[in-house]
Amino acid sequence: MSTVEDTHQRTIENGPLPAHPDRVEGTLANGLRYVIVPNKIPPERFEAHLEVLSGSVHEFERQQGMAHLLEHIAYMGSPKRQLISGTGSRTNAYTDFHHTVFFAQCPTQTPGDQFWRKSMLPMALDALLDVMTTKVDEDRLEKERAAVLSEASMVNKMEYRVECQVLSALHSENRISKRFPIGKEDLIKSWTREEVLLYHQIHYRPDNVILYVIGDVTPAATIDLINQKFGSLKPTVDANLLIQQSGEYPPVSMRNISPHFPPVVHQWSSSIENTKRLLPAALVEATAPVPAPVSVPVPGGETARDVNLPRPRIFQHELLQAFSFHLFAKRPMEPIVDKVTLREDIMRRLALSALQIRFNVEQRQHPLFTFIDFNQMNWPREGCTVCSLDLTTETANWREAVTVAIMEIRRLGLYGLTDGELERYKVAVLSEAQQFAAQAQQMSSEDMLTEVMEAQACGHTFMSASQRLSATQTLLDTITLEDVNQASRQLCEHLSHPDGVSVRPCAAVACAPALDREGLPFEVTEQEVLSVIEEAMSLSLSPPVNTEVPLSLISRSELTQRMARTKPAWVDLDGKAAETHEIESAKRLGVIQRKLNNGIKVNIKSLAAEPQRVSVRMYVPGGRLLEHNSKPGAVSLGARTVQEGGACEGYSREEVELFCIDHLVMVDIAATEDSLIFDFQSVTSPGPGGEGVTGLEAVMQVAHIILTDIVWEEDAFERAKLGLHEYFDSVVKGLETACQERLTQTLSGGDQRFCTANHKQLDALSLEDVRDAVSEQLAPSRVEISICGDMSSSVLEKLCLAYLGTVPSREEKKTSLSSLSTPGLGAQLLARRQSSSEKTEKKEDSPVGAPINTIGVFLPDSDERSMGYLAGPAPNKYGLWADGTSIQDAMLVGCGKKDRERRSHVLFPMVALMVLQEVANRRLFSVVREERQLTYDASFSLHNHEGVAGGWYQVSVTSSPSQVQEALRACREALRSLRGTFGVMGDSVQSAKRTLVNRQRSESQTNKFWVESMSGVQVSSVPVKGLGVIADFESVLAGITVQDIHRLMEVLVFDEREMTACVGISSPSPPPEMIFQQ
């Protein structure tokens, strides 16, 4: 920290931050630490997490991958974990550089439908205790060895390889660069039980773990239980002696500061003074040396200075789809424990917010980036704070993109913020703290657990939301422009004020495809990257300029005039919403349904579960299904163009964007196969300084503008096209996505509306094409708005009347939209499907080994990977086949009166399919992973739309090229095993039902759940969907029986003669036994 800042900070009354009043921390006699925080959201549930403070960075040279393998063994080998399966609990485990974590999310009591009821906390702690006492059985070792090797293939995607390149460069001076959790395949194959057990004995000892219990628990009783379960644990080896004898850890490392940090030494990018302030002398002396310099002159006032730039790491691969650039500075971590450190953190957030918006504005003016982010984050897993610039761009634009990014960071470091920016982002930071405090009583135990663990690892003081708000309010008032600009300088100093010694970037990485989009060779060299960085660091810069931001996009007088012209009014409901059952469901749910005289339909739900927050969804049926066959991709590109744009009558794009930022408005626009979806999130509080409109009113203004006054801009169109070009590249260059695209093409009969638009199709589209494709769907009579938030229904109704009711009526252009509600739409979706009578007939099964229609996908790659898929016809979400028949009709054949009553409910097909999906996933795991040891992961999913009749099921499995066919056969057997009287057991159905009801209850406390669930309930093209989907869900789910699932399997059949298999392989050369499409 500079002398100037030190002097200023002394004028601020410092003091420790207050700790959360409910947090309880302690240590058992054997050294095991625990942290307990009572929290009743959700009620009668808790989280228990066991953190072992050893991860992949703690492995010796011959142990690379052992932390992860042991995680599998300890988790899967726990007999007590099996006892909490099927109780509505969720368990899992994960390994990172610095730790291994095992967790259980459980109800406080076992389910009421079990014949015994008991407390779940002792059972969860027993399962975690198993982790500490595992014996590493030979059988479990071999099963998990196979699973880990399969997982290594699964994770080895291009994103993972890029991450490895980035982290290897960032930490080239220490062992992090060589200790990725997945490990080394040859070593994983070689370990004996004794070697793995020794690793367990060294690291899984009581003084090296922390137990977190967050939820509906009593601290005193929980402490007693922890003592009872874990108090007798003792270390069985002298771990410190064995580690010391290995000679593999540095004698002084970041772990000396905190047991949460890895045993490494860093090369810092901060000044020597700052490093000495934050680190003990021994660790400063042990700091890794700076590599040989690359001298670059940088203007610095009257004299030029030299900065030592790192040699860039270049990674090129044929499967990369865009150029990405990553530039880093590494600094010692400073815990936030008092007012001074919290104030510094707030000022950094102000500076980062300003810079990110500048990037956004620059991007909209000159579309260089498809992604850009500059941030500074504390990373306990790496034992440091990392300041990072990450961007992606087209290969043709990389020089300019890198130059502009570095210039803007330097501009922030040299000149800081403007007065307007400071006030805007101070308001935003305060509003965020207010929102957080308002929602504190609704914070879930899972979210609180994440905060507790992060604070524990970083050494921060864990505060309550109200304590944080109070401190933030007090400190914001002390922050001046001079203060925040000093913080901006410190944040950006490695680029704006390098000193030629230690203040400098520490790593640079450029990742690029081997071929550009035209298929021509593309190459980038270290010297080229260095030259661009040098130039960007040497250019002269001017200070930023203030931009005036409107307080409202539609003035009160203008709104009054629009209301006088259009005369908005509510009219009687019609269609589904007028039906008796829907009216009753609306009353039960507290939902208000209205319709405006311009045709816009409105669903309103007042919900206080997310205080001061609101979500709005504008749903327009149609989507890509209304694309003309001569213009594939027009709707997708049009929706993306609206997202990239924003200018409207009287305001520029920049003004509208800053208006949204000031009012905390987030907008996301997507085109699905059967709809256009506009999602908005904001707050119910006023904008900056309490002036102007609320966040919700700002949302309504933006929605009004989209429906009336949006300006279709050529540059927004070009940015959108650039984004979809990159998206297409990511699809065809990713093994999983390429396989799924081929399956979609096959199952849809080549219908382009279900496929990703390719380069040729995108380039053939004009701005007029995409404007017409979207605008024609936005007639008010097609639009449905669903709103859920912390505001009274009467206020929501008034806003809807004012802003949605003033959208002028216009004649709906005649399209094929009406066919969305006709049975048979989507008949092209599936190749062939027998009539409903044929589906239910008894058919002779084909042998499991019999050949099925198989397509292949090959991607040239230096590393071998493989994916397998099975897919076939399935009904849509509500049970309709592509030919318009329903599984419900088939399931009613021959059933008794009671079964007929249950199965006749309109929701029965949807809920039964959901239960089956859960059951099928469990069966795949049991057969393909546990019994056959052929994969790390196999999953079953239903791809079923709401507005399209028909869909398909999909089974996916990760494997190796040599085993993928065997894995697919095992998947076929697993599906076949679900058939018959004993194919599905009652406990599997009950477990699936508990999972679904817990998920529903948790999600129903969010605004997002309600706007998604209400969307389409007044739309005729989704005839089955109504508010009963929400109101009757639990009662229909409770009635599902194992016999229902048996009958469902008879109806669905999953006939292997109707299956399509897809085998995807990436390797240096295609396998000879199949013809693969590249």
Side-chain angles (χ1 to χ4, degrees):
M1 185 180 296
S2 71
T3 304
V4 173
E5 183 69 4
D6 284 339
T7 302
H8 187 76
Q9 293 289 16
R10 283 196 291 270
T11 68
I12 298 169
E13 184 180 350
N14 198 8
L17 295 173
H20 196 296
D22 297 331
R23 181 179 181 275
V24 177
E25 182 176 8
T27 305
L28 301 185
N30 58 11
L32 184 143
R33 289 183 287 160
Y34 57 82
V35 178
I36 303 167
V37 184
N39 186 54
K40 292 185 179 296
I41 303 297
E44 299 182 355
R45 290 191 69 84
F46 66 88
E47 304 260 342
H49 289 231
L50 184 74
E51 180 183 29
V52 181
L53 299 177
S54 294
S56 60
V57 176
H58 299 83
E59 298 163 343
F60 296 158
E61 185 68 25
R62 270 197 46 78
Q63 293 177 332
Q64 293 180 59
M66 194 174 284
H68 180 225
L69 176 63
L70 182 56
E71 170 226 308
H72 275 249
I73 294 169
Y75 174 77
M76 294 299 299
S78 165
K80 299 292 178 61
R81 183 183 63 82
Q82 305 294 335
L83 296 179
I84 63 177
S85 177
T87 61
S89 301
R90 176 175 173 259
T91 62
N92 213 329
Y94 56 91
T95 301
D96 207 333
F97 288 127
H98 67 310
H99 67 187
T100 305
V101 179
F102 303 82
F103 68 84
Q105 301 169 329
C106 306
T108 53
Q109 298 285 321
T110 51
D113 57 356
Q114 295 189 350
F115 64 88
W116 43 265
R117 290 270 285 169
K118 59 190 296 187
S119 172
M120 286 289 297
L121 183 56
M123 299 171 68
L125 295 186
D126 280 338
L128 296 178
L129 180 61
D130 275 352
V131 165
M132 299 294 292
T133 58
T134 186
K135 301 301 181 184
V136 188
D137 295 333
E138 289 282 3
D139 179 60
R140 178 53 61 186
L141 170 60
E142 294 310 316
K143 284 185 177 181
E144 299 315 313
R145 197 195 309 268
V148 165
L149 291 172
S150 174
E151 184 181 357
S153 172
M154 183 187 76
V155 302
N156 194 31
K157 303 175 185 178
M158 196 49 55
E159 297 85 354
Y160 174 77
R161 293 184 228 178
V162 169
E163 182 184 13
C164 289
Q165 293 291 329
V166 167
L167 289 172
S168 294
L170 175 59
H171 300 295
S172 59
E173 75 276 21
N174 62 51
R175 62 198 286 118
I176 296 176
S177 63
K178 305 178 182 67
R179 291 294 188 277
F180 293 96
I182 204 67
K184 292 187 174 180
E185 186 175 329
D186 57 335
L187 292 175
I188 295 169
K189 291 178 178 178
S190 70
W191 296 320
T192 64
R193 172 186 177 275
E194 289 70 28
E195 289 175 300
V196 178
L197 187 58
L198 179 60
Y199 183 92
H200 183 274
Q201 293 169 332
I202 291 174
H203 297 284
Y204 284 57
R205 58 186 200 273
D207 63 333
N208 196 45
V209 301
I210 303 177
L211 178 63
Y212 302 86
V213 181
I214 316 288
D216 198 353
V217 298
T218 304
T222 303
I223 292 171
D224 290 343
L225 195 57
I226 292 171
N227 261 302
Q228 175 190 330
K229 300 292 184 181
F230 294 88
S232 61
L233 290 175
K234 295 179 180 179
T236 56
V237 298
D238 189 335
N240 291 329
L241 178 62
L242 291 172
I243 290 171
Q244 184 179 358
Q245 288 175 343
S246 74
E248 294 205 22
Y249 290 8
V252 179
S253 72
M254 295 305 296
R255 194 169 172 88
N256 293 91
I257 294 178
S258 167
H260 292 271
F261 295 169
V264 299
V265 174
H266 291 292
Q267 169 201 315
W268 303 111
S269 306
S270 59
S271 66
I272 298 298
E273 294 76 15
N274 199 49
T275 303
K276 288 181 177 179
R277 183 176 67 85
L278 295 172
L279 298 178
L283 198 52
V284 173
E285 294 174 3
T287 296
V290 175
V294 179
S295 185
V296 180
V298 177
E302 298 179 358
T303 59
R305 292 164 290 128
D306 283 346
V307 56
N308 299 332
L309 285 181
R311 293 193 176 277
R313 174 170 298 199
I314 309 297
F315 174 59
Q316 289 200 255
H317 198 284
E318 55 269 26
L319 295 184
L320 282 169
Q321 65 265 17
F323 180 96
S324 67
F325 178 73
H326 314 269
L327 189 66
F328 301 99
K330 203 158 36 166
R331 295 157 181 161
M333 192 183 303
E334 184 167 18
I336 301 171
V337 295
D338 54 29
K339 293 178 182 178
V340 167
T341 49
L342 178 58
R343 185 173 183 271
E344 291 171 348
D345 182 67
I346 291 171
M347 290 190 292
R348 280 191 295 268
R349 289 165 58 197
L350 293 171
L352 288 167
S353 297
L355 181 60
Q356 191 59 51
I357 298 308
R358 291 182 191 177
F359 278 144
N360 291 350
V361 171
E362 177 67 33
Q363 164 64 0
R364 293 187 181 278
Q365 293 173 346
H366 306 98
L368 292 173
F369 315 108
T370 50
F371 171 81
I372 184 166
D373 180 66
F374 181 72
N375 211 341
Q376 179 163 297
M377 299 284 289
N378 294 321
W379 287 107
R381 73 175 196 158
E382 297 159 41
C384 61
T385 293
V386 176
C387 185
S388 59
L389 166 65
D390 301 284
L391 67 86
T392 58
T393 185
E394 288 275 280
T395 52
N397 297 333
W398 78 266
R399 289 178 176 83
E400 188 178 358
V402 172
T403 300
V404 168
I406 292 176
M407 286 172 58
E408 287 302 325
I409 296 169
R410 288 183 58 231
R411 195 190 315 275
L412 179 66
L414 290 168
Y415 300 110
L417 279 64
T418 66
D419 290 322
E421 286 177 322
L422 176 59
E423 291 310 309
R424 177 178 305 121
Y425 301 118
K426 284 175 75 170
V427 169
V429 167
L430 179 59
S431 180
E432 181 184 336
Q434 291 169 334
Q435 298 297 316
F436 189 76
Q439 296 169 27
Q441 297 304 313
Q442 300 298 325
M443 178 182 281
S444 71
S445 295
E446 183 175 3
D447 290 341
M448 184 174 287
L449 186 282
T450 300
E451 289 212 357
V452 169
M453 290 186 69
E454 181 181 0
Q456 188 83 15
C458 296
H460 300 330
T461 298
F462 176 63
M463 296 184 286
S464 70
S466 59
Q467 290 170 329
R468 187 182 307 179
L469 172 60
S470 177
T472 300
Q473 285 176 315
T474 301
L475 294 172
L476 276 172
D477 290 339
T478 72
I479 294 173
T480 66
L481 187 62
E482 179 186 0
D483 296 332
V484 77
N485 288 350
Q486 179 65 26
S488 299
R489 170 175 175 158
Q490 293 170 353
L491 182 68
C492 307
E493 63 181 0
H494 59 295
L495 293 173
S496 62
H497 296 83
D499 65 4
V501 181
S502 58
V503 181
R504 55 185 287 279
C506 68
V509 182
C511 303
L515 303 174
D516 64 16
R517 199 200 303 164
E518 305 302 323
L520 300 175
F522 176 79
E523 185 177 0
V524 60
T525 66
E526 287 184 9
Q527 189 54 52
E528 286 177 308
V529 175
L530 277 173
S531 297
V532 171
I533 299 174
E534 291 170 15
E535 181 181 5
M537 293 182 70
S538 64
L539 294 172
S540 298
L541 301 172
S542 58
V545 179
N546 258 328
T547 300
E548 291 296 324
V549 182
L551 293 175
S552 178
L553 297 178
I554 302 173
S555 68
R556 294 297 179 201
S557 60
E558 186 178 357
L559 183 61
T560 300
Q561 292 172 10
R562 295 189 184 199
M563 293 184 74
R565 286 197 307 267
T566 56
K567 296 180 174 55
W570 299 112
V571 297
D572 290 340
L573 294 172
D574 54 18
K576 293 184 292 181
E579 295 173 1
T580 302
H581 183 265
E582 281 299 282
I583 294 172
E584 292 174 350
S585 294
K587 289 179 180 178
R588 287 165 55 196
L589 297 170
V591 171
I592 294 175
Q593 293 190 293
R594 304 299 297 268
K595 182 178 179 180
L596 288 157
N597 56 349
N598 59 7
I600 293 178
K601 294 161 279 290
V602 179
N603 307 303
I604 295 173
K605 169 72 176 177
S606 182
L607 184 72
E610 294 185 57
Q612 298 183 27
R613 302 290 302 177
V614 66
S615 294
V616 178
R617 170 168 285 196
M618 185 162 71
Y619 175 86
V620 185
R624 293 201 64 195
L625 282 172
L626 298 186
E627 282 180 349
H628 194 277
N629 57 16
S630 66
K631 293 181 173 61
V635 173
S636 295
L637 184 51
R640 184 69 175 259
T641 300
V642 177
Q643 177 87 56
E644 291 291 336
C648 62
E649 191 70 31
Y651 293 108
S652 69
R653 182 172 53 246
E654 181 179 357
E655 289 173 315
V656 173
E657 180 163 1
L658 292 176
F659 169 81
C660 289
I661 291 166
D662 280 357
H663 292 82
L664 303 180
V665 173
M666 297 184 65
V667 186
D668 186 58
I669 303 170
T672 70
E673 288 85 351
D674 55 5
S675 63
L676 287 172
I677 294 175
F678 301 76
D679 277 325
F680 307 86
Q681 283 83 41
S682 190
V683 297
T684 55
S685 53
E691 301 178 9
V693 299
T694 65
L696 173 58
E697 194 165 355
V699 166
M700 303 305 282
Q701 291 186 355
V702 173
H704 177 98
I705 287 167
I706 289 173
L707 293 172
T708 58
D709 301 324
I710 193 165
V711 176
W712 289 81
E713 302 168 294
E714 191 68 41
D715 56 349
F717 171 68
E718 292 300 327
R719 286 193 303 276
K721 186 183 290 187
L722 183 66
L724 291 191
H725 275 306
E726 184 173 320
Y727 177 70
F728 175 75
D729 283 337
S730 71
V731 168
V732 297
K733 291 186 177 183
L735 187 60
E736 290 83 353
T737 49
C739 288
Q740 289 167 11
E741 185 74 6
R742 285 285 288 119
L743 275 174
T744 301
Q745 292 170 355
T746 301
L747 295 168
S748 67
D751 191 330
Q752 290 300 303
R753 298 172 299 178
F754 293 87
C755 304
T756 305
N758 60 38
H759 296 314
K760 183 177 179 181
Q761 292 166 344
L762 292 170
D763 286 335
L765 295 169
S766 67
L767 178 60
E768 292 71 23
D769 292 333
V770 305
R771 180 195 62 202
D772 293 345
V774 170
S775 298
E776 289 172 1
Q777 298 191 39
L778 297 182
S781 57
R782 292 181 174 179
V783 174
E784 181 189 48
I785 303 280
S786 296
I787 308 173
C788 181
D790 183 22
M791 187 171 279
S792 70
S793 299
S794 61
V795 173
L796 294 173
E797 286 186 81
K798 289 177 181 177
L799 289 172
C800 289
L801 188 66
Y803 288 104
L804 302 178
T806 51
V807 174
S809 300
R810 61 184 171 94
E811 186 177 349
E812 182 177 321
K813 183 174 179 179
K814 298 301 180 183
T815 66
S816 58
L817 180 63
S818 58
S819 66
L820 282 171
S821 59
T822 13
L825 181 74
Q828 297 300 315
L829 184 62
L830 306 169
R832 292 184 181 87
R833 183 68 199 177
Q834 298 168 320
S835 67
S836 57
S837 59
E838 292 174 313
K839 293 182 199 123
T840 55
E841 289 178 6
K842 176 68 178 177
K843 294 188 288 186
E844 182 181 349
D845 287 332
S846 58
V848 171
I852 59 176
N853 178 39
T854 302
I855 54 179
V857 173
F858 170 72
L859 296 180
D861 191 355
S862 53
D863 298 350
E864 283 195 348
R865 294 184 64 233
S866 186
M867 289 293 301
Y869 294 87
L870 295 174
N876 76 355
K877 184 174 181 177
Y878 301 107
L880 290 176
W881 293 101
D883 59 10
T885 57
S886 172
I887 63 171
Q888 193 165 34
D889 295 336
M891 293 190 70
L892 291 173
V893 174
C895 67
K897 181 179 179 181
K898 289 185 178 180
D899 285 344
R900 176 172 291 276
E901 288 178 1
R902 288 186 306 100
R903 294 179 183 179
S904 295
H905 194 288
V906 70
L907 272 190
F908 177 82
M910 181 191 84
V911 177
L913 288 167
M914 293 172 70
V915 172
L916 176 61
Q917 181 168 289
E918 294 291 327
V919 170
N921 271 303
R922 289 170 181 264
R923 183 62 54 84
L924 284 165
F925 182 87
S926 174
V927 173
V928 187
R929 186 195 190 281
E930 282 291 278
E931 294 178 13
R932 307 296 177 82
Q933 302 176 33
L934 292 170
T935 185
Y936 167 74
D937 184 52
S939 64
F940 176 91
S941 59
L942 290 164
H943 293 249
N944 43 18
H945 307 87
E946 290 191 336
V948 182
W952 60 86
Y953 66 85
Q954 178 179 292
V955 176
S956 60
V957 61
T958 306
S959 190
S960 63
S962 61
Q963 288 189 309
V964 64
Q965 296 287 2
E966 186 179 355
L968 282 177
R969 281 193 292 272
C971 289
R972 291 164 66 182
E973 290 180 33
L975 283 185
R976 176 176 287 210
S977 72
L978 294 170
R979 304 180 198 168
T981 306
F982 302 104
V984 177
M985 305 304 291
D987 58 346
S988 297
V989 173
Q990 287 302 113
S991 179
K993 288 165 63 175
R994 291 189 198 104
T995 298
L996 291 171
V997 76
N998 286 334
R999 186 183 304 157
Q1000 173 93 351
R1001 289 174 180 175
S1002 174
E1003 292 176 352
S1004 66
Q1005 297 303 305
T1006 65
N1007 296 333
K1008 180 176 182 286
F1009 167 85
W1010 284 95
V1011 296
E1012 289 180 356
S1013 299
M1014 292 189 297
S1015 293
V1017 296
Q1018 293 196 57
V1019 174
S1020 60
S1021 60
V1022 192
V1024 176
K1025 186 172 185 179
L1027 289 175
V1029 170
I1030 313 170
D1032 298 342
F1033 178 83
E1034 286 201 27
S1035 62
V1036 174
L1037 178 63
I1040 297 289
T1041 66
V1042 67
Q1043 289 78 21
D1044 293 333
I1045 305 305
H1046 290 160
R1047 179 60 180 152
L1048 180 60
M1049 282 300 302
E1050 292 176 3
V1051 172
L1052 294 178
V1053 180
F1054 295 138
D1055 190 342
E1056 294 172 15
R1057 288 168 291 198
E1058 293 181 345
M1059 282 183 183
T1060 296
C1062 180
V1063 175
I1065 291 178
S1066 60
S1067 63
S1069 57
E1073 67 272 13
M1074 291 184 66
I1075 299 176
F1076 282 82
Q1077 173 176 340
Q1078 292 197 38

